[in-house]
């Protein structure tokens, strides 16, 4: 490895270290409580080092959102080859749940942790986030065109479905599913979520 390649590798590693530390702190301590200095302490570098990679705390938060929504979109796209719109919509929900369970820290940061999200609010179009919703909306629109959700508005249906799966992931992330583990029997969250999707499947008429 040449000097230039080594330096680029080191820069990428440092950038990732900053992002990893910031994510953990944002979730554990809250966005407002975390400063650039606090992130620097976490990785044992000076604050000036952070500023070599990000202009401010909002820029770090924005980058974490981009990474999270990019990964979510990948999960969603994996089921778009399903021809039947009804089955594709359920698979879409399954992919969303899978992302939330596999990447709980990203999900927490994307949808639960409170923050001003200043960088995102200045965008004319939040591409990374919007395209995930647009994909859900299109799948719902395809279902409506196929005769499902008769008389229902595409955005109302999309919001309802999103709210459902978001609630499921949020309960999982914040350990609110412990009440199901009181009978002494082995509890499997994935099975519960799959059963919930089957209930949703029966509602798509």
């Amino acid at each position: 490895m040449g000097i230039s390649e080594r330096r680029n590798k080191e820069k990428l590693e440092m950038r990732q270290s900053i992002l990893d530390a910031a994510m953990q702190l944002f979730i554990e301590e809250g966005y407002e409580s975390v400063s650039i200095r606090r992130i620097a302490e976490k990785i044992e570098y000076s604050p000036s080092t952070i500023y070599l990679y990000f202009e401010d705390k909002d820029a770090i938060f924005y980058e974490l959102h981009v990474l999270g929504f990019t990964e979510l979109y990948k999960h969603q796209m994996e089921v778009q080859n399903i021809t039947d719109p009804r089955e594709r919509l359920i698979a879409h929900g399954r992919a969303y749940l899978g992302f939330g369970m596999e990447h709980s820290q990203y999900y927490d940061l994307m949808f639960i942790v409170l923050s001003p999200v200043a960088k995102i609010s200045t965008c004319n179009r939040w591409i990374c986030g919007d395209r995930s919703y647009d994909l859900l909306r299109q799948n719902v629109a395809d279902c409506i065109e196929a005769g499902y959700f008769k008389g229902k508005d595409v955005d109302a249906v999309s919001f309802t479905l999103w709210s459902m799966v978001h609630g499921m992931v949020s309960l999982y992330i914040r350990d609110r599913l412990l009440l199901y583990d009181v009978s002494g029997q082995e509890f499997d969250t994935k099975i519960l979520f799959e059963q919930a999707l089957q209930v949703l499947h029966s509602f798509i008429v």
Side-chain angles (χ1 to χ4, degrees):
M1 182 181 293
I3 295 177
S4 178
E5 291 177 325
R6 187 182 304 111
R7 286 177 177 172
N8 287 336
K9 183 174 182 293
E10 290 172 350
K11 287 180 179 179
L12 289 174
E13 290 174 346
M14 175 57 72
R15 184 182 181 84
Q16 190 59 52
S17 294
I18 295 170
L19 290 171
D20 290 343
M23 177 185 286
Q24 183 178 352
L25 290 172
F26 288 155
I27 292 173
E28 292 179 353
E29 302 179 10
Y31 180 84
E32 294 295 344
S33 300
V34 177
S35 64
I36 290 292
R37 180 174 296 280
R38 181 74 182 90
I39 297 171
E41 291 174 354
K42 182 73 173 178
I43 63 173
E44 299 182 341
Y45 277 85
S46 67
S48 59
T49 299
I50 308 292
Y51 287 115
L52 293 174
Y53 295 86
F54 298 97
E55 61 179 331
D56 54 26
K57 184 174 67 170
D58 283 345
I60 297 175
F61 193 87
Y62 178 86
E63 180 67 17
L64 288 169
H65 265 67
V66 169
L67 293 171
F69 275 105
T70 298
E71 187 62 34
L72 171 59
Y73 189 71
K74 288 179 183 178
H75 277 65
Q76 292 173 308
M77 286 300 296
E78 289 176 357
V79 303
Q80 295 310 303
N81 61 339
I82 299 174
T83 304
D84 183 87
R86 188 172 187 248
E87 298 299 329
R88 187 192 325 130
L89 186 59
I90 293 299
H92 190 138
R94 190 176 293 116
Y96 188 98
L97 291 170
F99 166 78
M101 295 180 72
E102 294 170 22
H103 304 279
S104 59
Q105 286 193 318
Y106 271 124
Y107 194 92
D108 202 334
L109 207 65
M110 292 157 62
F111 295 111
I112 300 177
V113 170
L114 293 176
S115 78
V117 204
K119 291 290 181 182
I120 296 175
S121 65
T122 61
C123 299
N124 292 327
R125 176 170 164 79
W126 172 224
I127 296 175
C128 288
D130 287 349
R131 68 179 181 176
S132 289
Y133 175 75
D134 290 344
L135 194 57
L136 168 62
R137 192 179 187 280
Q138 183 58 57
N139 285 335
V140 171
D142 289 345
C143 280
I144 291 176
E145 185 177 351
Y148 301 106
F149 302 117
K150 292 180 178 63
K152 301 297 189 298
D153 176 74
V154 61
D155 285 308
V157 174
S158 299
F159 176 75
T160 300
L161 298 179
W162 177 30
S163 298
M164 175 184 174
V165 292
H166 167 68
M168 291 163 66
V169 176
S170 299
L171 288 169
Y172 169 77
I173 288 175
R174 292 305 174 94
D175 291 327
R176 295 302 191 270
L177 296 176
L178 296 178
L179 62 93
Y180 288 100
D181 196 20
V182 296
S183 63
Q185 299 179 349
E186 185 176 354
F187 171 68
D188 191 320
T189 302
K190 291 183 178 180
I191 292 177
L192 177 65
F193 283 1
E194 184 59 35
Q195 291 173 339
L197 287 175
Q198 292 308 313
V199 172
L200 174 60
H201 193 282
S202 67
F203 292 158
I204 303 177
V205 295

